[in-house]
């Protein structure tokens, strides 16, 4: 089926179908619930006197509570497929004991047209463990396929930096793919995030990059070659060239609007000069090396199960943006995006950049990787490269088409003016 001519229509149709199906499922669930409540098999409708419960001794924190009576817990699709595909047998090896699924302790964390995420609970050796089930809905493509392939093929190469994959079940419910994985608690909600926390994340980030840096990535070429985006592939380069061209067009459109002209007037000619030098503005970034990068390092995508300890065991979550690209881009993703939104920390930005850039470089040295350029300079280059090839384009597009508020535009323009002059872009 060829969807290239109307991919927007296809996506809208898929979303409409998803919403209709979701409503139908909701209605059916209500009917089933009514049937259950009026059924003579429901204990609440039985006329048999109930035996008073006796008090029990409190359980230790390590011992799981008894699951609900299976006869009284309706089995949803997850429970049924768990049994049909013998998931317990496949997962038990990771725990060293037989495992059972607690059918009464499931929570749907997220449900979209492309995927569903469940938080499950299993019991092994009388202890309960949380577990994540991510359902990739057919057809799995684009960024969803990248994330799925990271779980399928890269978890063995980056075992300490990704959630542990327990089992992957293919071909469920018409082509859906179910991934059972380790539950890793997001940093968001656990800590009040400040720049001090970067120091706990950067060592893991450097380890991620070092394991696939330059020729180390090539050692696994057969694993990644046919699906992981590469920054300097023909298609990626063409996309960046297209973004630069459209950024220039949006810049002209913005100058025709009085409200945006005021914001852009002092930067217009400078941006024209700089953008025409693209799409590759700093060859030094390429010399510093490329690695598999995560590409979306916000606190919901960074996990840690031991935030009470001095040294955090960081694992990165949600890999749909992964690609083989200049390793310093992830430092922009980590620090640059934080300071773009957190104006309350702007006064400390320069000091934090200096500390974190040097920390990252020092961590990379531990793995035999030495940067020839000053780390702070490399960070600023990565920042401007990403802003000029992508972020500025999005801000201008949102502003001219009214899709979103361009809250970050002034901050980007300031960095382009100051750091662009410092780095010789104009």
């Amino acid at each position: 089926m060829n969807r290239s001519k109307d991919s927007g229509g296809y996506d809208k149709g898929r979303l409409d179908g998803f919403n209709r199906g979701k409503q139908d499922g909701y209605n059916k669930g209500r009917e089933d619930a009514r049937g259950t409540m009026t059924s003579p098999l429901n204990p609440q409708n039985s006329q048999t006197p109930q035996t008073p419960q006796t008090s029990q001794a409190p359980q230790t924190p390590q011992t799981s509570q008894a699951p609900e009576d299976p006869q009284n817990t309706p089995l949803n699709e997850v429970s049924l497929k768990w049994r049909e595909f013998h998931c317990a047998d496949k997962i038990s090896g990771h725990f060293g004991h037989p495992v059972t699924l607690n059918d009464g302790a499931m929570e749907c964390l997220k449900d979209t047209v492309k995927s569903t995420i469940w938080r499950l609970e299993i019991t092994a050796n009388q202890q309960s463990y949380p577990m994540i089930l991510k359902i990739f809905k057919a057809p799995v493509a684009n960024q969803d396929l990248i994330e799925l392939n990271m779980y399928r093929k890269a978890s063995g190469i980056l075992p300490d930096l990704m959630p542990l994959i327990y089992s992957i079940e293919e071909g469920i419910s018409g082509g859906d793919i179910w991934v059972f994985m380790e539950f890793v608690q997001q940093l968001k909600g656990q800590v009040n995030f400040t720049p001090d926390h970067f120091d706990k994340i950067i060592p893991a980030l450097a380890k991620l990059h070092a394991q696939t840096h330059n020729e180390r990535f090539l050692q696994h070429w057969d694993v990644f070659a046919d699906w992981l985006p590469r920054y300097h592939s023909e298609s990626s380069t063409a996309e960046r060239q297209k973004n630069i061209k459209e950024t220039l067009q949006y810049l002209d459109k913005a100058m025709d609007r009085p409200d945006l002209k005021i914001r852009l007037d002092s930067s217009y000619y400078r941006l024209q000069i700089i953008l025409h030098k693209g799409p590759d503005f700093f060859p030094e970034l390429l010399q510093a090396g490329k690695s598999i990068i995560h590409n979306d390092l916000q606190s919901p995508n960074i996990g840690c199960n031991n935030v009470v300890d001095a040294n955090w065991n960081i694992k990165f979550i949600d890999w749909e943006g992964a690609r083989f690209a200049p390793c310093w881009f992830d430092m922009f993703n980590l620090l640059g995006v934080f300071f773009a939104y957190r104006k309350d920390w702007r006064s400390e930005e320069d000091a934090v950049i200096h500390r974190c850039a040097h920390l990252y470089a020092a961590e990379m040295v531990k793995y035999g990787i030495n940067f020839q350029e000053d780390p702070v300079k490399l960070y600023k280059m990565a920042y401007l490269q990403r802003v000029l090839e992508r972020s500025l384009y999005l801000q201008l597009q949102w502003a001219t088409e009214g899709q979103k508020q361009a809250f970050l535009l002034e901050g980007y323009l300031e960095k382009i003016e100051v750091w662009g002059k410092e780095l010789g872009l104009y």
Side-chain angles (χ1 to χ4, degrees), residues 143 231 236 238-248 250 275 278-279 281 295 323 329 332-333 337 382-398 403-404 408-409 412 416:
Q143 289 187 312
Y231 186 73
S236 294
E239 181 181 1
R240 289 186 289 118
Q241 290 171 336
K242 178 175 176 288
N243 284 346
I244 294 291
K245 180 179 178 180
E246 292 185 358
T247 301
L248 288 165
Y250 279 121
L275 288 169
F281 300 95
N295 208 34
R323 61 201 60 242
F329 283 178
F332 162 73
N333 296 323
V337 174
Y383 186 107
L384 292 187
Q385 178 70 44
R386 289 302 285 157
V387 167
L388 291 168
E389 72 183 16
R390 182 64 177 169
S391 301
L392 180 61
Y393 161 77
L394 291 175
Q395 291 292 303
L396 292 174
Q397 181 190 48
W398 295 342
Q403 295 178 350
K404 298 180 182 180
L408 308 184
L409 181 58
Y412 288 155
I416 292 170

Side-chain angles (χ1 to χ4, degrees), residues 201-348:
I201 299 168
I202 287 174
L205 186 62
K207 184 177 181 180
L208 165 67
H209 295 161
Q211 292 186 12
T212 56
H213 189 264
N214 285 354
E215 68 280 355
R216 301 175 190 180
F217 174 82
L218 298 178
Q219 294 174 6
H220 305 287
W221 179 256
D222 57 329
V223 175
F224 299 105
D226 61 347
W227 59 271
L228 186 70
R230 299 186 301 279
Y231 186 73
H232 277 97
S233 67
E234 184 176 340
S235 59
S236 294
T237 300
E239 181 181 1
R240 289 186 289 118
Q241 290 171 336
K242 178 175 176 288
N243 284 346
I244 294 291
K245 180 179 178 180
E246 292 185 358
T247 301
L248 288 165
Q249 294 171 353
Y250 279 121
L251 186 60
D252 287 336
K253 290 180 181 180
M255 292 296 286
D256 291 334
R257 288 185 37 180
D259 58 325
L260 295 176
K261 187 176 187 295
I262 295 174
R263 301 169 69 180
L264 290 163
D265 209 14
S266 62
S267 302
Y268 176 78
Y269 291 108
R270 182 185 307 115
L271 290 173
Q272 288 277 346
I273 293 171
I274 293 174
L275 288 169
H276 278 97
K277 295 181 178 182
D280 295 324
F281 300 95
F282 301 106
E284 296 91 338
L285 285 174
L286 307 182
Q287 295 168 7
K290 291 178 282 188
S291 304
I292 291 181
I293 66 171
H294 181 279
N295 208 34
D296 190 13
L297 293 175
Q298 301 180 58
S299 59
N301 295 334
I302 304 173
C304 181
N305 288 336
N306 68 321
V307 295
V308 298
D309 298 335
N311 297 317
W312 289 0
N313 296 324
I314 293 292
K315 294 195 175 185
F316 301 106
I317 310 167
D318 192 356
W319 288 83
E320 65 181 24
R323 61 201 60 242
F324 183 65
C327 58
W328 278 90
F329 283 178
D330 263 348
M331 288 294 285
F332 162 73
N333 296 323
L334 184 64
L335 277 68
V337 174
F338 174 86
F339 283 111
Y341 284 98
R342 294 292 300 273
K343 295 181 180 181
D344 51 324
W345 288 101
R346 292 276 180 83
S347 62
E348 299 186 26

